[in-house]
Amino acid sequence: MVSSSSSSSMANVRNPDESEGDSTKWMLQKVDMDNMEEVPIDGGGQERSSSALKCRNGEKYCLDESGSGVMKRINGAQGNVPNLEKTKSGAARGLNSLRFLDRTRTGKEGDAWKPVQKRFKLHAVDGKLFRDKFGVCIGMGDSKEFAAELFDALARRRKIYAEDGITEEELRQFWEDMTNRDLDSRLQVFFDMCDKNGDGKLSEDEVKEVILLSASTNKLSNLKQHAEEYAALIMEELDPDHQGHIEMWQLETLLRGMVGESEEGPKFQKRAQTLSRTMIPKKYRSPVSKYTSKTLEFLHDNWKRVWLVTLWVSINLGLFIWKFSQYKKREAFQVMGYCLCTAKGAAETLKFNMALILIPVCRRTLTKLRSTFLSVIIPFDDNINFHKLIALAIAIGVFTHTAMHLTCDFPRLVNCSPRKFMRLLGPQFNYKQPSYGDLVESIPGLTGIIMIVMMSFSFTLATHSFRRNVIKLPWPFHYLAGFNAFWYAHHLFVIVYILLITHGFFLFLSNHWYMKTTWMYVMVPILFYASERTLTSVHDHNHRVGVIKATIYTGNVLALYMTKPPGFKYKSGMYLFVKCPDVSSFEWHPFSITSAPGDDYLSVHIRTLGDWTKELKNRFAKVCEPPPEKPKKGCLIRMETRAEAKDEAVQARFPRIIIKGPYGAPAQNYKKYDVLLLIGLGIGATPFISIMKDLLNDIKPNESDSSLQAIKKGLERVYFYWVTREQGSFEWFKGVMNDIAEYDHGQLIEMHNYLTSMYEEGDARSALIAMVQSLQHAKNGVDVVSESRIKAHFARPNWKKVFSRLASTHPSGVFYCGSPTLANPLRLLCKEFSQNTSTRFHFHKENF
């Protein structure tokens, strides 16, 4: 038996006179059971000693208030068959979360049946649906093996011979069994699916088969290896008398551990809806006040961006108007009119933006400026976005400048009367009126055309579709997609800047050197950017690092532990660039630093997503040591928190690694907030792992209350949500998770792991995994999913619920690193809860 929050156990017994659809439950009125006592788990008794055991009067068992303890038998044998009393149970209501299909929870089963009916007609053969098509038909296309076992159980339950398929009416009966609102019916279906021989009892082999099926359905490859061990664990808990089987009421008792989770969802949604109505301030209740208030909120949250972009736009407008007015007063205006003024105004903004666009990509300079007072007024985290905005302005300027010249200025100049031309523009063109071809073939014309071609090529390869290799080009053009194509194409701007200076020097209407201002705009930024790149290249010798250890994890992740170069100082959350000359002499790739600033080594975790990372992993795989032996039952692997020196001969065989950096990133400013919400998707957890290690390094040597309070003065609470889709991903940072559980007694860090390949709690496909998880964690303190001391959650987090919980705390910094898909929803939630609650959420996203 395990501890549960309900007051008594439910028996699967019905009055024969009652109809099958009646949802009323039979409850145990009295149970004579062995005396039980709370037993500490792995030394965890001290932590739970403050939780008093709640014992009901007249009953001979106790339940831990937290529901996390393990009950052990004290004496006596199992009592007689209990008397029954007919009542309704809160536990039963909680068990309503046990379901086979998500879409049936709305109560509109009739609407859900219609698409099933359509799919039946699509997949049926001669009016019969076969076993292999059952999963696709009912919406379990991604769980065909589980659906097939469910098909067999429903057929046994209905006593239908299904070898030759089932009819639409029989499918409807199956559907009614799966979507029946009566708990007992659904629970019986689940039990029948486990009980393959139909004897009403579950043997250990049957439990093992269902665990294997559930593990396969939820893509838990590691759990499948321990299926026999976990089946024995279930039998140990539910079959204390060693009868060799368990019955349905015992399985139901274990399922009741899911009550808390199931009841929390609907209650939270109802509470959230109530709060959303009652917490609407007066300033949002009318359209005008709502618009005004939201505008003020936007300015409050984005004032750094607003003032900087406003300044930039004002400078561009000022330059355009100044140059426009200047040419309006010149003789050429009488020939080419406003077309010339517009072209020259656009050209002036182009010169300014071509100079400015280099500043946001001076990483080393920006990293140093982040630590100065300028970070208070300048949003350095948006440097790449500002770079893109300037690039857009350049594209608009190029189009305007070119269009005005080719479609307006040149035709007017060519078609101007010779007398007027000689009088107004003769000295500018050596008293020879040019043709349209002469203008295009001139030095300004040719340099302009070449610049447009190069810039268009570079801008195209910098778009998301090409840079992220979303677009698939046919051979041999497939080399034009990907990061390498984007990176090398950007180096064409060296030629573009040379052509730009040449273009500006040979202008037709400006004869004096001081009127040819292009070089004045771009010279200082070019020298500044070139100096930074040159100094970085010179420093490469100082940043040649030795590889201490290399580990290849499940999920194609390579972890490199390297020596720290002298004077290499960084903050948690920063990143560095890595180059491997053995793979490529020119390619640099950015990776977040996963070691803490106080560690005597550097570490990065690299996921193989492209050709370069794949080749790097393969080269290290050739010299990596084989993985250690599997740990014994209940033991933990310490793989991540220590860098161990390897044999010098092995080190010599490692590929050469050169690094440059460190460079600033949004997460490095995490200490500015009292409360942190860190969200990492997959390998996006890397910048936050460095933060976790940094906090743990402060906690480990100073476990006294006074030292912990000193740490908490600047940081009160850290919530870390790591969402991944592969069970093997938890291996990457298992050591960090175990250290959090072992050393963070002050509960500074609250870590939540989510595995999206699993079906959410309450789904029949993950029900048995949830049982095993609870039992194993209670007994050994190890989670069966993450295989660490941090318990993993199923499916995806309810982000609205997460933010609602944090809304009762102090202003929070929200740092996100991962797929852009989730970035916008998180940003909107930060905005929503900042407006509707007293807590302000500041959203920061990593950009590479």
Side-chain angles (χ1 to χ4, degrees):
M1 294 288 289
V2 294
S3 60
S4 173
S5 59
S6 65
S7 59
S8 56
S9 298
M10 187 190 337
N12 183 40
V13 181
R14 277 191 179 277
N15 190 325
D17 298 332
E18 284 190 308
S19 62
E20 185 175 339
D22 187 5
S23 61
T24 305
K25 312 300 182 297
W26 285 98
M27 299 297 298
L28 294 179
Q29 183 182 25
K30 180 182 179 183
V31 183
D32 293 326
M33 302 180 66
D34 298 345
N35 293 333
M36 314 290 275
E37 65 177 355
E38 184 75 1
V39 179
I41 302 170
D42 294 339
Q46 295 179 354
E47 296 181 20
R48 288 187 289 269
S49 61
S50 60
S51 299
L53 294 177
K54 305 296 183 181
C55 297
R56 294 187 177 273
N57 294 330
E59 294 180 347
K60 299 181 180 179
Y61 64 96
C62 298
L63 298 178
D64 184 2
E65 187 176 25
S66 64
S68 62
V70 177
M71 295 300 183
K72 298 295 182 182
R73 304 180 62 187
I74 297 178
N75 52 50
Q78 187 171 345
N80 299 326
V81 178
N83 297 326
L84 298 176
E85 182 186 31
K86 191 175 180 181
T87 182
K88 289 191 175 181
S89 167
R93 290 192 298 271
L95 274 171
N96 280 323
S97 64
L98 180 65
R99 61 194 177 280
F100 293 94
L101 299 169
D102 289 337
R103 61 175 58 88
T104 62
R105 299 185 69 186
T106 61
K108 298 181 179 179
E109 288 81 0
D111 295 340
W113 165 251
K114 292 178 182 178
V116 176
Q117 197 173 21
K118 291 180 181 178
R119 288 193 290 268
F120 174 86
K121 296 176 181 178
L122 181 65
H123 296 286
V125 179
D126 297 330
K128 292 291 188 73
L129 182 73
F130 290 92
R131 184 177 185 264
D132 59 336
K133 296 294 183 181
F134 179 69
V136 177
C137 188
I138 65 172
M140 278 191 185
D142 55 347
S143 309
K144 292 182 179 180
E145 188 178 354
F146 186 91
E149 294 294 337
L150 180 59
F151 178 89
D152 295 339
L154 292 169
R156 290 195 302 269
R157 178 180 175 83
R158 291 282 180 174
K159 298 181 180 180
I160 295 174
Y161 182 76
E163 291 288 336
D164 298 328
I166 57 175
T167 63
E168 183 177 342
E169 179 59 31
E170 290 170 337
L171 177 63
R172 179 63 189 240
Q173 294 176 8
F174 286 9
W175 177 261
E176 289 174 352
D177 286 343
M178 289 186 295
T179 61
N180 197 322
R181 298 177 69 87
D182 177 39
L183 165 67
D184 289 343
S185 178
R186 295 199 311 276
L187 190 60
Q188 185 65 56
V189 171
F190 182 76
F191 188 85
D192 289 344
M193 194 178 72
C194 301
D195 181 22
K196 293 187 176 182
N197 58 13
D199 62 355
K201 301 174 183 178
L202 295 185
S203 65
E204 185 171 339
D205 289 338
E206 288 176 324
V207 173
K208 176 184 173 182
E209 287 185 28
V210 179
I211 291 176
L212 287 170
L213 176 63
S214 299
S216 176
T217 303
N218 290 277
K219 301 179 178 64
L220 301 176
S221 56
N222 294 352
L223 192 142
K224 292 170 67 175
Q225 301 173 10
H226 303 282
E228 185 174 351
E229 174 188 340
Y230 297 146
L233 177 64
I234 290 180
M235 298 301 293
E236 178 185 343
E237 293 295 327
L238 298 186
D239 183 26
D241 296 323
H242 305 290
Q243 297 178 0
H245 65 267
I246 57 176
E247 299 179 4
M248 181 174 171
W249 70 269
Q250 294 170 309
L251 184 67
E252 180 183 346
T253 301
L254 188 56
L255 277 170
R256 248 186 288 153
M258 297 163 12
V259 171
E261 293 291 333
S262 62
E263 290 184 330
E264 189 176 13
K267 285 184 178 181
F268 165 76
Q269 294 175 359
K270 185 176 181 180
R271 182 170 63 252
Q273 292 172 359
T274 303
L275 286 174
S276 64
R277 288 193 296 267
T278 59
M279 294 175 64
I280 297 177
K282 291 182 179 179
K283 58 185 179 180
Y284 295 137
R285 293 178 185 173
S286 69
V288 176
S289 62
K290 181 179 180 180
Y291 176 80
T292 304
S293 300
K294 286 195 171 184
T295 302
L296 294 175
E297 289 283 351
F298 174 81
L299 293 175
H300 185 277
D301 292 337
N302 301 278
W303 69 269
K304 292 183 184 179
R305 300 184 182 98
V306 170
W307 88 262
L308 188 64
V309 173
T310 301
L311 176 63
W312 172 71
V313 171
S314 300
I315 293 174
N316 277 277
L317 286 176
L319 290 172
F320 182 88
I321 294 172
W322 170 65
K323 189 58 69 172
F324 187 95
S325 301
Q326 187 182 79
Y327 270 84
K328 189 177 179 181
K329 299 174 183 178
R330 300 181 64 171
E331 294 85 354
F333 177 75
Q334 300 179 35
V335 176
M336 291 175 275
Y338 287 103
C339 297
L340 176 64
C341 300
T342 304
K344 291 298 182 180
E348 202 68 18
T349 63
L350 266 174
K351 290 184 280 188
F352 170 69
N353 287 319
M354 286 294 289
L356 186 63
I357 198 170
L358 295 173
I359 303 302
V361 290
C362 293
R363 294 187 181 91
R364 185 178 294 274
T365 302
L366 294 182
T367 299
K368 294 180 179 179
L369 291 177
R370 283 174 182 268
S371 302
T372 66
F373 71 96
L374 291 176
S375 62
V376 179
I377 59 175
I378 298 178
F380 290 111
D381 293 346
D382 294 317
N383 62 316
I384 299 300
N385 291 330
F386 191 46
H387 179 79
K388 294 177 181 178
L389 182 62
I390 297 171
L392 177 61
I394 290 173
I396 295 173
V398 168
F399 176 80
T400 305
H401 180 75
T402 305
M404 288 297 103
H405 276 323
L406 295 180
T407 64
C408 190
D409 292 350
F410 289 2
R412 288 191 178 192
L413 183 63
V414 171
N415 296 323
C416 176
S417 63
R419 179 179 298 179
K420 186 177 181 181
F421 173 82
M422 292 299 176
R423 178 170 57 87
L424 297 174
L425 299 177
Q428 307 290 338
F429 292 89
N430 295 324
Y431 297 99
K432 179 183 178 182
Q433 186 172 4
S435 64
Y436 196 94
D438 293 335
L439 294 173
V440 173
E441 295 173 0
S442 64
I443 293 179
L446 290 175
T447 54
I449 291 172
I450 296 173
M451 279 192 295
I452 290 173
V453 172
M454 288 186 172
M455 292 172 73
S456 300
F457 181 72
S458 298
F459 282 11
T460 300
L461 297 189
T463 58
H464 180 268
S465 298
F466 280 87
R467 184 167 53 89
R468 294 294 186 182
N469 210 9
V470 176
I471 188 170
K472 302 300 180 184
L473 299 175
W475 185 90
F477 301 104
H478 64 281
Y479 291 108
L480 297 178
F483 181 83
N484 288 341
F486 151 76
W487 178 247
Y488 291 125
H490 256 53
H491 286 76
L492 291 175
F493 274 89
V494 175
I495 302 175
V496 169
Y497 276 101
I498 295 173
L499 293 174
L500 178 64
I501 295 173
T502 305
H503 182 85
F505 188 79
F506 289 95
L507 292 178
F508 287 119
L509 303 178
S510 300
N511 295 326
H512 303 290
W513 69 270
Y514 56 83
M515 298 180 67
K516 301 174 180 181
T517 59
T518 303
W519 66 273
M520 300 180 187
Y521 275 98
V522 300
M523 191 55 66
V524 173
I526 287 176
L527 291 176
F528 187 80
Y529 179 76
S531 300
E532 180 169 284
R533 290 289 299 269
T534 303
L535 288 174
T536 302
S537 299
V538 171
H539 288 165
D540 282 353
H541 274 299
N542 298 330
H543 288 159
R544 291 182 183 272
V545 295
V547 178
I548 302 173
K549 183 177 72 170
T551 306
I552 298 176
Y553 292 107
T554 306
N556 288 324
V557 168
L558 169 65
L560 294 181
Y561 299 85
M562 304 164 288
T563 57
K564 184 188 292 187
F568 191 92
K569 297 180 180 180
Y570 63 96
K571 297 179 180 179
S572 292
M574 286 185 168
Y575 67 98
L576 51 77
F577 278 84
V578 175
K579 180 173 74 173
C580 180
D582 297 339
V583 177
S584 173
S585 301
F586 305 102
E587 293 186 42
W588 291 91
H589 293 265
F591 301 101
S592 295
I593 303 173
T594 54
S595 55
D599 293 336
D600 57 357
Y601 63 93
L602 285 176
S603 68
V604 292
H605 285 66
I606 302 171
R607 182 146 197 190
T608 54
L609 295 175
D611 295 338
W612 185 88
T613 52
K614 183 178 180 180
E615 180 62 23
L616 182 70
K617 190 205 77 169
N618 290 339
R619 286 180 178 267
F620 274 97
K622 294 177 181 178
V623 293
C624 274
E625 293 182 358
E629 296 181 0
K630 294 182 179 179
K632 297 180 180 180
K633 179 179 176 181
C635 296
L636 298 173
I637 306 177
R638 301 298 297 267
M639 303 176 63
E640 232 293 313
T641 55
R642 296 289 183 273
E644 301 172 0
K646 296 295 179 181
D647 184 79
E648 291 184 1
V650 177
Q651 283 193 18
R653 296 201 305 269
F654 278 135
R656 290 180 299 156
I657 294 295
I658 301 174
I659 65 172
K660 63 179 179 181
Y663 296 109
Q668 75 177 68
N669 298 319
Y670 72 94
K671 292 184 178 179
K672 292 182 179 180
Y673 299 96
D674 295 331
V675 179
L676 291 180
L677 174 58
L678 309 177
I679 302 172
L681 262 61
I683 199 65
T686 48
F688 310 131
I689 291 299
S690 178
I691 295 176
M692 295 296 104
K693 288 183 176 181
D694 194 21
L695 295 175
L696 287 170
N697 284 347
D698 291 335
I699 294 173
K700 285 180 184 179
N702 309 295
E703 298 187 16
S704 63
D705 294 339
S706 58
S707 62
L708 185 59
Q709 290 299 323
I711 296 170
K712 285 193 173 185
K713 281 184 179 179
L715 197 59
E716 296 181 3
R717 191 76 166 177
V718 179
Y719 300 90
F720 181 21
Y721 284 78
W722 183 21
V723 184
T724 183
R725 61 184 177 185
E726 297 176 356
Q727 185 188 13
S729 303
F730 295 122
E731 288 282 349
W732 307 343
F733 309 116
K734 181 188 293 185
V736 176
M737 292 188 286
N738 291 334
D739 282 351
I740 291 174
E742 182 175 351
Y743 294 106
D744 186 24
H745 303 305
Q747 298 183 344
L748 174 66
I749 303 169
E750 184 175 308
M751 186 171 183
H752 298 270
N753 298 325
Y754 281 83
L755 184 61
T756 59
S757 67
M758 294 199 62
Y759 295 93
E760 62 183 2
E761 279 103 340
D763 194 299
R765 288 166 285 188
S766 62
L768 205 62
I769 303 298
M771 299 180 208
V772 173
Q773 183 188 47
S774 297
L775 292 175
Q776 175 73 354
H777 197 272
K779 184 174 182 179
N780 297 321
V782 180
D783 183 60
V784 299
V785 178
S786 68
E787 297 183 349
S788 71
R789 296 183 182 180
I790 302 294
K791 196 172 182 179
H793 304 279
F794 301 170
R796 291 175 172 81
N798 184 334
W799 293 116
K800 197 160 189 176
K801 179 179 177 181
V802 172
F803 277 85
S804 178
R805 178 187 175 193
L806 264 67
S808 60
T809 63
H810 298 286
S812 304
V814 181
F815 293 88
Y816 170 71
C817 184
S819 169
T821 308
L822 185 58
N824 193 51
L826 291 176
R827 184 181 288 108
L828 293 176
L829 283 172
C830 288
K831 181 180 178 182
E832 175 186 345
F833 279 87
S834 293
Q835 292 176 352
N836 298 334
T837 67
S838 59
T839 301
R840 187 163 297 279
F841 292 87
H842 303 271
F843 183 74
H844 305 272
K845 178 184 177 297
E846 293 286 338
N847 288 299
F848 281 151

